[in-house]
């Protein structure tokens, strides 16, 4: 359960957590047409709090809204400040930030024209997405019976609320089967991503991640690709099949919530040694240092409060 904090930013104002309510005719609640973001703020060793790639997340929110033809009634700079204000007012040194843009109440039906576009920013404490043990030991994954969206069925580059019905179905199925996470294939059968994470595979020193077809353009994904390239390791964006994962040396997930999580098993097959491998560990460690503002090289990724 989400631990309640004091305030939520809604439509330009900081209001009390308990007052952040909407009408039952809120359009997005019925049809899923809304866009959102997920951002993390970390407390740095010097005591300051830094938000990881905040402008990039807010710009992706505006890109999602543009794809969905939703006009956000605020400027990106206003939402960037609002994210910081919401953390500050709640005294959160570390936490997760969830900006949500939704269509308010008014008309019903799939062609709402004059309904208000509303924006909320919620902050809360969120620990390891797949559990602390998964970060250390790796997670267990099952290929889903659900495919990732076909690129002409849903706009997969947009973080649209309704897109996540697919994730909820897949995750539920995986957890019910005793696994931690679902691996999703695209409609051609190639590896796409997990329900809320991008995927990377390591074999003989070469690192691969699926290209940006049906997958979300993850901000952690691009950050990790930069880290890999800066270390002089080889990274390519290439389609691959699930059996390539089975025989990989290492597999890991990336995401704001999931950070860098090693995968130790897929479809009941051990990956590599069955423990997080050296490449994953090195990337994970560098990612965490960068996110905590500990590396000069990646200072421009951090927006301090
Ligand atoms: N793919 C999907 C489908 C996805 O939802 C996320 C983020 C990613 C990839 C990674 O993107 P990025 O966070 O920019 O590196 N998933 C968000 C929502 C998780 C949730 O359960 O809610 C997140 O990690 O914040």
């Amino acid at each position: 359960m989400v631990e309640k904090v004091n305030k939520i930013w809604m439509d330009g104002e900081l209001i009390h957590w308990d007052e952040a309510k909407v009408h039952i005719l809120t359009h997005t609640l019925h049809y899923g047409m809304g866009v959102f973001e997920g951002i993390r703020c970390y407390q740095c060793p010097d005591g300051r709090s830094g938000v990881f790639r905040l402008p990039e997340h807010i710009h992706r929110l505006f890109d999602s809204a543009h794809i969905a033809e939703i006009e956000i009634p605020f400027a990106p700079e206003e939402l960037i400040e609002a994210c910081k204000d919401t953390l500050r007012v709640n005294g959160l040194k570390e936490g997760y930030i969830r900006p949500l843009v939704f269509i308010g109440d008014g008309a019903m039906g799939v062609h709402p024209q004059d309904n208000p576009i509303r924006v909320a920013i919620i902050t809360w404490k969120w620990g390891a997405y797949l559990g602390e043990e998964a970060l250390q030991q790796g997670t267990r994954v099952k290929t889903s019976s659900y495919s990732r969206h076909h690129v002409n069925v849903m706009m997969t580059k947009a973080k649209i609320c309704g897109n996540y019905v697919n994730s909820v179905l897949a995750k539920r199925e995986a957890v019910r089967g005793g696994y931690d996470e679902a691996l999703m294939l695209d409609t051609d059968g190639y590896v796409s991503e997990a329900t809320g994470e991008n995927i990377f595979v390591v074999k003989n020193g070469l690192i691969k991640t699926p290209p940006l077809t049906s997958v979300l353009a993850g901000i952690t994904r691009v950050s990790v690709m930069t880290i890999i390239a800066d270390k002089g390791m080889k990274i390519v964006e290439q389609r691959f099949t699930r059996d390539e994962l089975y025989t990989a040396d290492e597999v890991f997930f990336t995401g704001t919530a999931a950070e860098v999580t090693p995968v130790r098993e897929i479809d009941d097959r051990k990956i590599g040694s069955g423990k997080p491998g050296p490449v994953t560990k090195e990337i994970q460690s560098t990612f965490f240092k960068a996110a905590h503002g500990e590396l000069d090289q990646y200072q421009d990724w951090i927006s301090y409060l």
Side-chain angles (χ1 to χ4, degrees):
M1 190 143 142
V2 170
E3 197 182 315
K4 178 167 153 179
V5 294
N6 201 12
K7 303 268 189 189
I8 286 175
W9 188 98
M10 225 166 163
D11 305 318
E13 278 174 74
L14 284 159
I15 60 173
H16 196 267
W17 177 279
D18 295 327
E19 269 141 37
K21 292 181 178 165
V22 294
H23 194 273
I24 194 66
L25 284 181
T26 295
H27 194 276
T28 304
L29 202 53
H30 296 250
Y31 305 103
M33 183 54 117
V35 296
F36 70 100
E37 266 307 318
I39 314 168
R40 268 193 196 267
C41 173
Y42 293 95
Q43 183 164 24
C44 306
D46 64 7
R48 289 189 293 172
S49 291
V51 183
F52 187 68
R53 309 206 77 169
L54 176 58
E56 289 88 341
H57 278 283
I58 296 300
H59 289 130
R60 188 173 65 183
L61 182 73
F62 277 79
D63 284 347
S64 294
H66 182 67
I67 292 169
E69 296 190 273
I70 294 175
E71 207 166 315
I72 302 180
F74 294 93
E77 298 69 36
E78 288 177 293
L79 296 189
I80 287 172
E81 281 314 306
C83 286
K84 293 187 190 173
D85 287 347
T86 312
L87 287 167
R88 279 193 210 105
V89 75
N90 288 312
L92 282 175
K93 291 265 180 203
E94 281 205 315
Y96 189 78
I97 314 169
R98 168 57 53 83
L100 172 68
V101 177
F102 61 102
I103 306 177
D105 56 300
M108 289 301 275
V110 296
H111 193 45
Q113 302 214 55
D114 301 319
N115 294 28
I117 303 303
R118 307 192 54 190
V119 185
I121 298 170
I122 311 108
T123 57
W124 68 85
K125 278 189 198 155
W126 205 353
Y129 188 58
L130 294 165
E132 199 53 49
E133 199 205 308
L135 276 185
Q136 309 299 332
Q137 308 297 333
T139 189
R140 293 180 58 246
V141 176
K142 173 84 182 139
T143 302
S144 185
S145 73
Y146 298 98
S147 299
R148 205 66 181 132
H149 297 293
H150 184 279
V151 292
N152 231 1
V153 170
M154 282 294 203
M155 299 293 99
T156 57
K157 296 292 169 297
K159 221 168 148 65
I160 293 176
C161 301
N163 286 3
Y164 282 80
V165 172
N166 179 243
S167 291
V168 172
L169 287 168
K171 179 83 175 196
R172 227 186 238 156
E173 178 189 62
V175 172
R176 191 180 294 124
Y179 302 89
D180 305 320
E181 183 55 289
L183 168 70
M184 309 205 58
L185 309 179
D186 64 22
T187 47
D188 292 328
Y190 292 91
V191 171
S192 150
E193 59 182 343
T195 64
E197 304 94 344
N198 292 114
I199 189 166
F200 287 74
V201 57
V202 186
K203 177 87 178 181
N204 297 332
L206 176 67
I207 309 175
K208 286 189 201 175
T209 192
L212 294 179
T213 47
S214 63
V215 310
L216 186 73
I219 289 168
T220 321
R221 174 185 182 276
V222 74
S223 305
V224 159
M225 286 170 75
T226 303
I227 288 171
I228 293 168
D230 288 349
K231 285 183 183 293
M233 295 192 260
K234 199 145 188 256
I235 167 78
V236 293
E237 292 176 87
Q238 200 180 86
R239 272 180 144 187
F240 52 85
T241 51
R242 62 198 269 196
D243 45 3
E244 195 167 326
L245 293 173
Y246 300 161
T247 56
D249 297 331
E250 304 177 33
V251 175
F252 61 90
F253 287 146
T254 65
T256 298
E259 301 164 307
V260 175
T261 301
V263 175
R264 70 177 152 94
E265 196 187 293
I266 301 176
D267 299 339
D268 305 306
R269 291 151 176 97
K270 200 161 79 171
I271 304 303
S273 65
K275 293 199 174 85
V279 175
T280 305
K281 282 207 232 164
E282 187 181 342
I283 292 166
Q284 187 191 49
S285 153
T286 305
F287 170 78
F288 276 121
K289 281 189 194 139
H292 286 82
E294 289 174 53
L295 302 176
D296 288 343
Q297 201 179 354
Y298 304 117
Q299 275 304 320
D300 59 347
W301 288 354
I302 317 291
S303 299
Y304 291 99
L305 290 197

